[in-house]
Amino acid sequence: MSEQHSRSAATIAAQALHIINEETGGVVPGIELATTFARDDSYEFRSEFGYSRDSNPTTRNAEKIIKALSGAEDALVFNSGMSAISTVYETLRPGQHVVAPIIMYHGAQHWLQHLEKTRGIELTLFDQTKQGALKEAIKPGKTELVWIESPVNPTWDVIDIAEAADLAHEAGATLGLDTTVAPPCTTDAFALGADIVFQSATKYLGGHSDLTGGVLTTAKNDDRWQEIQYVRKHLGGILQPFEAWLLIRGIRTLFVRFERASQNAMALARHFENHPKVERALYPGLENYPGHEIAARQMTNGFGGMMSLLIKGDEAEARATAAACRVFMPATSLGGVESLIEHRKTVEGPDSAVPDNLLRLSVGIEGEQDLIADIEQALGQKPSVDPRALRADVR
Ligand SMILES: *Cc1c(COP(=O)(O)O)cnc(C)c1O
């Protein structure tokens, strides 16, 4: 992403394209709650809108903003991240082959495995830590979709997006990229060669843990994109107007939230990477992290707030550490202004490939020292500050 592009994306986000309430001059758009739109005397719709399951003015505003700030050809918003992902998978035909990493968002992987059983889609999971594994997994002429995320959740292994795009395209496949943890404020997915880009709007785009939504953007308005639009309309997966409005509001602060979360996560990763009670800090922002150089090329405006700690200890000790946190809240999800922690394996279930001693941290925008002190005390260190006092402290 060039500096110019990054500046203009920041401006687009902050100003939300200056979409105002045309009737009143209000500097933020209103919410259009209507489910249906009146026809004129000749029975034509008065605007581009007819029925809210197809499209709605507030929802379309969110799409226009996301399209502009991502440099996409088009954008569609859905009522959850999984609704957006499953809509892409709905375009796959029996016998077509899909390639995805072993470690990835577990819900999306479970759904691919479900489609393998029920719809005759072929699936190959590749080891994202092994050089050459993706190339080996792709079957030229047969692979229809390569679906990746980078960094992968929750070990933050870095997949080279540009290389994956080349490999997919050489084989005649589409590259689908989940950029939930590396949103367009830091990753210029289309410049790296992605064809379809997905984000859970529940995470960084919304940013306040108060809306469930998903976003697809596309490099081209091609047949697959047309089908995605058709599927959204028929499965009814569109984002509702109030959530679309919350999404627009969230996007306005995306850049500053992401930058602050990135700074906090970097401080935590540096503090805990050589800690006596920590085996490893997993964070692509660390210079010695495998794939750091690729991450630095792909994430040009911060490495984000997502990191994990492999603690010295077993599953029980990892869970006890998460439970002892007082500033980090034990909860699923990520990308909100408040920091969350979870023992990921417990959440994903016994067949999960995630290590037993891994704690996933979604680092928010709180004071850096409070976050560090909280993990310190939870790891059984003498707390430098009483974390209960921190909680009451309004910062
Ligand atoms: C949360 C998440 C999803 C799914 O999004 P929902 O909004 O929960 O449906 C997909 N991919 C990643 C990386 C996520 O973190």
Side-chain angles (χ1 to χ4, degrees), residues 80-82 85 105 149 153 178 180 198 200 202-203 212-213 334:
S80 74
M82 280 308 297
I85 292 177
Y105 178 68
E149 47 189 67
N153 181 14
D178 179 341
T180 299
F198 159 77
S200 168
T202 316
K203 315 296 171 57
T212 303
L334 61 94

Side-chain angles (χ1 to χ4, degrees), residues 78-85 104-108 147 149 151-153 156 178-181 198-203 211-214 306 332-334 344 360:
F78 294 78
N79 54 22
S80 74
M82 280 308 297
S83 170
I85 292 177
M104 61 181 279
Y105 178 68
H106 70 304
W147 184 264
E149 47 189 67
V152 306
N153 181 14
W156 320 116
D178 179 341
T179 60
T180 299
V181 302
F198 159 77
Q199 293 165 78
S200 168
T202 316
K203 315 296 171 57
L211 89 96
T212 303
M306 295 310 299
T332 293
S333 200
L334 61 94
R344 194 64 197 160
R360 186 180 85 173

Side-chain angles (χ1 to χ4, degrees), residues 14-95:
Q15 300 182 339
L17 290 178
H18 275 167
I19 297 171
I20 67 167
N21 186 328
E22 293 295 344
E23 248 171 64
T24 64
V27 298
V28 292
I31 309 176
E32 179 56 83
L33 291 168
T35 54
T36 189
F37 297 82
R39 295 173 187 267
D40 63 16
D41 293 344
S42 55
Y43 230 63
E44 295 296 321
F45 290 119
R46 297 166 194 229
S47 69
E48 64 182 283
F49 303 103
Y51 189 61
S52 260
R53 177 158 46 73
D54 301 348
S55 189
N56 164 286
T58 312
T59 304
R60 197 61 200 152
N61 282 341
E63 290 169 345
K64 279 183 194 157
I65 295 161
I66 291 162
K67 170 185 148 143
L69 82 92
S70 325
E73 173 87 15
D74 198 11
L76 288 171
V77 292
F78 294 78
N79 54 22
S80 74
M82 280 308 297
S83 170
I85 292 177
S86 55
T87 298
V88 176
Y89 295 173
E90 202 62 26
T91 66
L92 298 166
R93 307 279 179 263

Side-chain angles (χ1 to χ4, degrees), residues 1 8 39 61 72 81 101 107 109 118 123 132 148 158 167 199 203 214 224 242 277 284 333 344 359 368 381 383 387:
M1 192 188 287
S8 60
R39 295 173 187 267
N61 282 341
Q109 191 180 73
T118 58
L123 175 65
I148 59 166
V158 182
L167 291 171
Q199 293 165 78
K203 315 296 171 57
R224 191 188 306 279
F242 182 60
K277 302 218 156 162
S333 200
R344 194 64 197 160
L359 289 175
E368 160 191 319
Q381 300 289 304

